[in-house]
Amino acid sequence: MPNVRLEGLHKSYGDIKAADGLDLEVRDGEYLCVLGPTGAGKTTLLRMISGLLRPDKGKIFFNDKDYTRREIEERKAALLSQSYALFPQLTVEENIIFGLDIRGADEKLKEQVLISMLDLVRLSGRSKAFPGELSGGMQQRTALARALASGADLLLLDEPLRALDARLRISLRTELRSLVKSLRMTTIHVTHDQDEALVMADRVAVIREGRILQVGTPKEVWDQPATPFVANFVGQSNFFTGKVIQSSPYTLLRTPEGAVLKGRPSELPAGEEAVLGVKIGNTEISKERAGYLQAAVERVIFEGRNLHVDLMMDNGQRISAKIPSWRKGKVVVGDRTNVYWEESKGTVFPMPPGGLENELKVE
Ligand code: ATP
């Protein structure tokens, strides 16, 4: 199975930079999720790897060989695009074994693959149907099975679970991952759904405006985000700004109102403007315990396991907290409360060059 390396890929459409110096390495047999907001350049990335799109600049390596100018057929990559591109005149099963058919695979192998694929995508009962007779989700599952059965080494998945209902999406996550792992395919799966990326990936690459911001294990991008954007996109965060007082053994930050906030150690010099990010799930509220800041409860939303609480701080900034549902009735609109967090849950960033608001913007 190939490892894939992208070096300095650029692709522009007029003024839009769909890829703006993309560097990425995907290991042999790895399940890598590329996570980013809409328009970040995820589809462009997959199309360049598949050979459907030529980069303006930069190189694509498969197993350290330069494939930038090689033809689509040489790459042995199966791309599952957002428009499923099924053959309308072929049935579900004919679509699925299409790749094996053109390679001249023997009947027994085709039968085996077909049974396991139909089972995986829960379409055993509809194998003789034509794509036009299927729902969007069923068409997507057929296209997924066809990509898996194609005999490719490299699987390129563009939002493969997008059209499925929530329950099926969640159960297919684990099954899809274990299947491609057992086939030992290298997989690049693009999604804008952070839960999907965190659950499925060996590593997650966060992309924005045609650039990779961070690559790491799900735990790394969650716990040690490289930028405020990553901290907010992978699990929502609250952000506080201030000047660094000290950066070790923990960081202390003084806000413009004079509150002193604590976060993990950093390398920032005293006096520097900085941003402290705390995941909303790590933002604690209590009337009894002392806090770094004070706020009023504006809204409490029941989310099943958790309550989502929106708060207005005394300086007019809005923040949120996610607290367990058993506190329902104990936290009510109008309450004044203290806000705190464990210092190890506060990540300190230098102030982004374009300002915090610009940094957090999702187009
Ligand atoms: P989505 O999640 O919405 O599919 P994406 O992350 O896959 O988004 P791309 O489809 O790669 O993003 O597009 C990246 C940028 O390039 C977008 O601003 C898009 O409008 C632009 N773009 C992509 N393809 C073309 C094209 N053929 N012509 C002009 N602009 C394009």
Side-chain angles (χ1 to χ4, degrees):
M1 304 300 128
N3 67 53
V4 179
R5 202 169 77 243
L6 312 179
E7 275 184 15
L9 290 187
H10 285 261
K11 181 76 199 173
S12 296
Y13 296 103
D15 289 344
I16 298 171
K17 291 179 174 160
D20 188 18
L22 266 172
D23 293 314
L24 184 64
E25 183 154 10
V26 189
R27 298 167 189 155
D28 178 7
E30 181 171 36
Y31 200 111
L32 183 112
C33 283
V34 177
L35 173 67
T38 178
K42 304 184 294 295
T43 301
T44 303
L45 168 78
L46 287 190
R47 289 169 60 82
M48 288 192 294
I49 298 172
S50 73
L52 284 171
L53 193 65
R54 283 272 151 91
D56 299 335
K57 223 168 83 184
K59 288 199 180 325
I60 299 170
F61 296 91
F62 284 13
N63 289 332
D64 298 321
K65 285 201 199 80
D66 188 348
Y67 269 66
T68 321
R69 310 253 147 223
R70 297 237 190 147
E71 294 307 318
I72 295 176
E73 301 73 40
E74 293 181 73
R75 303 185 185 211
K76 290 184 80 186
L79 172 67
L80 172 61
S81 65
Q82 286 190 19
S83 60
Y84 324 122
L86 293 170
F87 301 112
Q89 74 282 23
L90 301 184
T91 63
V92 165
E93 63 179 40
E94 287 163 347
N95 263 287
I96 294 176
I97 54 167
F98 180 80
L100 290 174
D101 257 345
I102 54 174
R103 278 158 198 248
D106 71 54
E107 290 302 317
K108 196 151 161 258
L109 176 69
K110 282 198 294 195
E111 183 71 21
Q112 270 174 359
V113 172
L114 186 61
I115 290 170
S116 64
M117 289 300 152
L118 286 170
D119 190 41
L120 170 83
V121 299
R122 319 270 206 289
L123 282 174
S124 304
R126 302 303 306 272
S127 63
K128 305 281 185 221
F130 290 93
E133 300 164 352
L134 302 174
S135 70
M138 289 173 177
Q139 291 180 29
Q140 192 167 24
R141 282 182 273 154
T142 306
L144 175 61
R146 188 181 60 180
L148 286 168
S150 66
D153 292 339
L154 175 63
L155 193 57
L156 305 170
L157 303 174
D158 196 349
E159 304 269 4
L161 307 177
R162 190 179 48 127
L164 309 179
D165 67 63
R167 264 210 0 233
L168 190 56
R169 191 162 64 230
I170 287 168
S171 73
L172 271 188
R173 280 178 188 166
T174 23
E175 288 176 41
L176 172 58
R177 185 189 144 90
S178 27
L179 191 81
V180 299
K181 281 282 170 185
S182 70
L183 297 170
R184 305 200 16 247
M185 295 166 104
T186 302
T187 307
I188 306 175
H189 169 153
V190 315
T191 178
H192 64 272
D193 181 333
Q194 52 138 333
D195 292 334
E196 190 170 297
L198 294 174
V199 169
M200 297 186 73
D202 294 319
R203 288 188 309 152
V204 177
V206 182
I207 185 172
R208 183 193 197 190
E209 293 174 348
R211 255 168 305 184
I212 303 290
L213 301 177
Q214 183 172 7
V215 188
T217 62
K219 191 164 169 9
E220 280 164 359
V221 294
W222 179 269
D223 282 338
Q224 291 154 37
T227 65
F229 179 84
V230 175
N232 208 31
F233 197 73
V234 186
Q236 200 186 336
S237 292
N238 294 310
F239 294 98
F240 308 95
T241 56
K243 275 200 164 63
V244 175
I245 303 173
Q246 67 170 55
S247 54
S248 161
Y250 43 82
T251 302
L252 289 179
L253 214 66
R254 189 188 309 280
T255 70
E257 294 78 28
V260 176
L261 315 178
K262 245 185 195 185
R264 286 206 289 256
S266 61
E267 313 241 292
L268 299 174
E272 183 111 339
E273 286 286 336
V275 177
L276 183 92
V278 185
K279 291 251 149 59
I280 65 168
N282 293 327
T283 304
E284 316 264 359
I285 54 173
S286 160
K287 282 182 250 183
E288 291 81 31
R289 247 196 85 151
Y292 297 118
L293 301 156
Q294 284 71 51
V297 174
E298 278 201 327
R299 196 159 63 145
V300 182
I301 303 163
F302 179 70
E303 289 182 341
R305 188 186 300 234
N306 292 310
L307 300 176
H308 178 104
V309 184
D310 288 326
L311 303 130
M312 171 71 88
M313 297 202 308
D314 289 354
N315 69 358
Q317 184 189 338
R318 285 205 162 82
I319 60 168
S320 303
K322 211 174 257 302
I323 60 173
S325 287
W326 59 260
R327 289 177 70 186
K328 194 165 175 7
K330 296 188 168 67
V331 175
V332 292
V333 173
D335 275 356
R336 281 194 60 76
T337 183
N338 299 323
V339 180
Y340 64 98
W341 52 86
E342 284 178 34
E343 73 194 42
S344 65
K345 305 291 188 196
T347 312
V348 183
F349 306 98
M351 179 62 75
L356 182 60
E357 200 176 322
N358 212 19
E359 161 74 15
L360 298 178
K361 214 163 51 191
V362 177
E363 293 69 26

